Amino acid sequence: MIIVMRTGSNRDQVDAVSNRLIELGYKTNPIFGVEKSIVCAIGVPEYDKMEAADQLRSLDGVDDVVFISKPYKFVAKELRGKTVVDVDGVKIGGDEVVMMAGPCTVESEAQLMTTAEAVARGGAKVLRGGAYKPSTSPYSFQGMGLPGLELLKEAGRRFNLKVITEVMHVRKVEEVCEYADILQVGTRNAQNYDLLREVGLSKKPVLLKRGMTARLEEWLLAAEYIASAGNERIILCERGIRTFETHTRNTLDLSSVPALASLTHLPVIVDPSQGTGRRELVPPMSKAAIACGADGLLVEVHPNPDKAIKDGVQSIDIKAYEKLMPELGQVAEAVGRSLGIPVRV
Ligand code: PEP
Ligand code: MN
């Protein structure tokens, strides 16, 4: 790390910083400039750096402490080129763009089976659906719970789809693992470090949504919690962030997709449903996501969105989904990938 001294800081202050660094185990190299001095420090393992930096910031004459290496290791690009998360044969992060589709929430057997049949026929490889739903209001529907998980597993089996569903609590990880192929950690839990560690211990593939106020570095550090617990089967999912714009539910930050490609080896997918909150924006943003390099999509599809219990405004119906899939196939081909469905020319 580099300790940047304030303009006008004196030699005693620089020496005090150097001495503290040496006590902390660093090798130091102070450089005295005309206006500003800096102290370069190397040689201490990553896990000791944050606390050291906090202490150094409080010393007299210190302006800033700058890290020269990334604070995450397991998820950093330097570790490997690209990770392909293999979910029993469905590969996320490979040449194929993977469609994950289904209702926001499991509502009934009929609703789920109708949707699962349609999304499978259209070329989706993964069925989405919430059994445990995070709700802003404690009075809204909280999901079907265990019966919802049972329906998801049955739908997956019947239509040859992998299943992704959200896990909200450390105590539920074991239960959800029995029914799901991919664990979803939602935006509200994206910095719930106990939960991140627990899904890291589970060894199941984990889809980690971006926290609604998370910077890329915070998001990658959240992923680092999962990876450092022993599970590198992580898929990142951009789902929009909170901004001043109210026209859309969130601002879908598609620039994170190519940006993450240079920061991490993990696959990145996009959720245009939570990302926009408006069903008419889902098809164009799905195309844009594939065009800018997304490894997959997570899209809310409902047989009758106007009557959906949750997120109907941002759910596309089965007809819109059937129209969208071949169009997405063409975009995927145009960027040298495929959606795993026949492409009309
Ligand atoms: C969802 O996928 O339905 C959901 C609740 O997502 P998020 O955590 O991104 O809001
Ligand atoms: Mn939803």
Side-chain angles (χ1 to χ4, degrees), residues 79 125-126 148 237 320:
L79 192 77
K125 300 282 160 39
V126 181
C237 179

Side-chain angles (χ1 to χ4, degrees), residues 162-306:
K162 304 298 167 211
V163 165
I164 178 167
T165 194
E166 179 160 353
V167 57
M168 287 171 51
H169 198 279
V170 283
R171 280 202 305 272
K172 291 287 180 186
V173 172
E174 218 179 296
E175 178 188 291
V176 176
C177 278
E178 275 178 46
Y179 294 90
D181 301 293
I182 307 173
L183 304 175
Q184 176 173 326
V185 175
T187 193
R188 294 161 182 83
N189 266 317
Q191 287 179 310
N192 177 341
Y193 301 119
D194 287 340
L195 181 63
L196 295 172
R197 267 208 206 88
E198 197 68 21
V199 297
L201 293 171
S202 79
K203 307 287 186 285
K204 277 263 174 184
V206 177
L207 180 133
L208 176 63
K209 296 272 193 120
R210 180 178 189 171
M212 62 182 91
T213 62
R215 299 192 182 109
L216 297 190
E217 186 169 286
E218 291 167 319
W219 189 6
L220 288 169
L221 281 168
E224 186 82 0
Y225 268 89
I226 303 171
S228 62
N231 185 358
E232 288 185 27
R233 301 168 79 200
I234 306 164
I235 304 148
L236 299 173
C237 179
E238 169 62 58
R239 50 79 69 205
I241 48 175
R242 278 277 166 91
T243 68
F244 48 80
E245 180 57 71
T246 53
H247 180 75
T248 44
R249 181 178 179 185
N250 291 290
T251 296
L252 185 58
D253 177 16
L254 284 184
S255 70
S256 72
V257 177
L260 286 166
S262 65
L263 297 173
T264 179
H265 53 83
L266 297 175
V268 182
I269 76 160
V270 171
D271 174 348
S273 307
Q274 329 300 320
T276 63
R278 300 177 81 116
R279 68 175 78 132
E280 72 278 15
L281 299 182
V282 169
M285 296 317 280
S286 299
K287 292 175 199 165
I290 296 178
C292 72
D295 295 303
L297 293 168
L298 185 70
V299 173
E300 289 182 343
V301 178
H302 193 284
N304 190 350
D306 292 343

Side-chain angles (χ1 to χ4, degrees), residues 104 128 133 274 300 311 314:
C104 175
R128 66 146 290 149
K133 290 304 298 179
Q274 329 300 320
E300 289 182 343
D311 286 354
Q314 66 190 38

Side-chain angles (χ1 to χ4, degrees), residues 36-79:
K36 268 186 176 281
S37 301
I38 61 171
V39 183
C40 306
I42 52 164
V44 161
E46 197 61 41
Y47 50 81
D48 286 333
K49 281 183 188 164
M50 293 293 176
E51 287 73 21
D54 278 351
Q55 286 184 11
L56 290 158
R57 281 192 185 98
S58 69
L59 295 185
D60 279 350
V62 172
D63 189 10
D64 201 5
V65 176
V66 182
F67 292 101
I68 41 184
S69 56
K70 299 263 173 17
Y72 43 85
K73 301 283 165 219
F74 288 107
V75 304
K77 188 76 183 170
E78 290 73 25
L79 192 77

